[in-house]
Amino acid sequence: MESSEGSFEDVANPLGSEPRGHRHWDAASGPRVGHAGDHIELEDIPALVQAGAEKGEVLWRRLENDRFQGIWYDMTEIALADYLAPTVSGVVATGRIAVLCRERGRPLKGFSAVRLGRDGIRDLVSSTIAHGLVRFRVLALAGSGWSCQRNAAMTTYAFELCVGEFPNIYNAWDRARAREPGPVVSLDAVRDTPYTDAAEERPGEVIQRLLPDTSDELAEIVDLRYGQGLDLGQIATRTERSPRAIEGLLYRLKGRLKEILPDRGARPQKRNHEQ
């Protein structure tokens, strides 16, 4: 069947694994298997979303034909997400995202990739991509989405949408984090608890007693940081880990300590033998 929007190629799959008319599409004049022109297949989508405007327009017309739903749109969204995941992760992990947002008039207050840690980066990136792709479809349905006249590749356009969404995602994350009780910020808090004779032990030993599943490697990092006062760079040299990885390990450790130690706002009771 043909229409002003294009036509499906009604080809039966001999293996019976696909519905008729789903895999092939010709935007110009109907079935043209093996010919050049506007004929595209599902396998072409990853390349088309990264192609220039002219080739991308063929896919866009196909998506418009389906009102941005169905198997062709699902595959397009997957291809965009596959491109965006490492791209958005890269600009967040390097801090480049702060520059991009500032250039767009939306600076990120207190942004630091080290402060986010690996888990924070992963959560922000996944949320940003999800929101960016929702906006991609909303704008497309409204008739103001990607255009071969206005935009470069669809991936570039989708990335710009993600940059636009990131300040909202980051600010929500920052507000939620501010409402959480702060983690223990140093082992001085551990030494004040009734659970340990920290003054007689190495910091790493204290942690392993409070949290028995703490690895020897993490206990060593605690000793180097809080016992010997080394900075993250010095610890990285000794442990063959990156400073960012060490920062993340210590932050998560502090979070676990926060769960088992008394509220930092209240001075813990001294043990009987200390009174």
Side-chain angles (χ1 to χ4, degrees):
M1 178 181 297
E2 293 189 6
S3 72
S4 60
E5 295 292 332
S7 63
F8 291 101
E9 182 184 347
D10 193 14
V11 178
N13 187 327
L15 299 179
S17 60
E18 286 187 69
R20 292 166 65 87
H22 268 222
R23 191 178 193 85
H24 309 283
W25 192 74
D26 190 311
S29 58
R32 290 192 297 170
V33 180
H35 292 266
D38 290 344
H39 173 79
I40 59 173
E41 299 187 1
L42 284 174
E43 290 84 352
D44 300 327
I45 290 177
L48 289 174
V49 296
Q50 298 186 55
E54 181 178 351
K55 292 183 178 179
E57 183 184 13
V58 180
L59 175 59
W60 190 258
R61 289 165 62 190
R62 179 64 179 82
L63 299 176
E64 284 182 321
N65 190 70
D66 279 356
R67 295 292 297 163
F68 301 96
Q69 60 187 347
I71 183 63
W72 284 79
Y73 184 77
D74 290 344
M75 294 296 292
T76 298
E77 192 171 74
I78 289 171
L80 289 172
D82 286 345
Y83 170 86
L84 291 169
T87 307
V88 177
S89 294
V91 296
V92 174
T94 60
R96 172 70 179 165
I97 188 68
V99 177
L100 296 175
C101 291
R102 185 170 63 250
E103 290 174 349
R104 289 157 179 76
R106 303 193 64 189
L108 305 175
K109 182 179 178 181
F111 178 83
S112 166
V114 173
R115 175 172 170 254
L116 293 177
R118 183 171 57 186
D119 292 341
I121 291 174
R122 183 182 61 245
D123 292 345
L124 288 180
V125 167
S126 61
S127 294
T128 298
I129 293 174
H131 282 74
L133 290 177
V134 168
R135 184 160 177 77
F136 181 94
R137 185 169 186 269
V138 168
L139 292 174
L141 289 171
S144 56
W146 181 85
S147 166
C148 63
Q149 281 78 35
R150 297 193 305 269
N151 305 114
M154 280 185 223
T155 47
T156 302
Y157 171 72
F159 175 76
E160 290 295 325
L161 292 179
C162 287
V163 172
E165 291 294 320
F166 188 82
N168 299 331
I169 305 298
Y170 171 75
N171 290 335
W173 175 87
D174 195 42
R175 287 193 298 269
R177 187 172 181 270
R179 289 193 294 267
E180 296 176 355
V184 178
V185 296
S186 84
L187 288 181
D188 291 338
V190 178
R191 297 189 180 98
D192 287 338
T193 71
Y195 300 107
T196 179
D197 289 316
E200 301 173 9
E201 298 174 279
R202 297 194 329 271
E205 292 175 334
V206 175
I207 296 302
Q208 286 186 312
R209 181 140 54 78
L210 293 174
L211 300 170
D213 60 344
T214 301
S215 67
D216 290 341
E217 180 189 25
L218 181 52
E220 179 187 9
I221 290 173
V222 170
D223 284 335
L224 294 173
R225 179 65 169 161
Y226 297 103
Q228 300 182 33
L230 301 186
D231 62 30
L232 297 180
Q234 293 170 318
I235 298 173
T237 301
R238 294 199 182 191
T239 61
E240 297 183 350
R241 283 179 173 268
S242 70
R244 183 177 299 159
I246 293 168
E247 180 78 0
L249 287 172
L250 292 175
Y251 183 83
R252 286 190 288 275
L253 174 63
K254 293 169 185 178
R256 293 188 64 195
L257 289 174
K258 178 189 67 177
E259 297 173 357
I260 65 171
L261 296 178
D263 186 348
R264 287 191 296 161
R267 185 71 176 179
Q269 295 288 328
K270 290 186 176 181
R271 289 164 292 180
N272 292 333
H273 74 268
E274 293 180 346
Q275 294 178 345

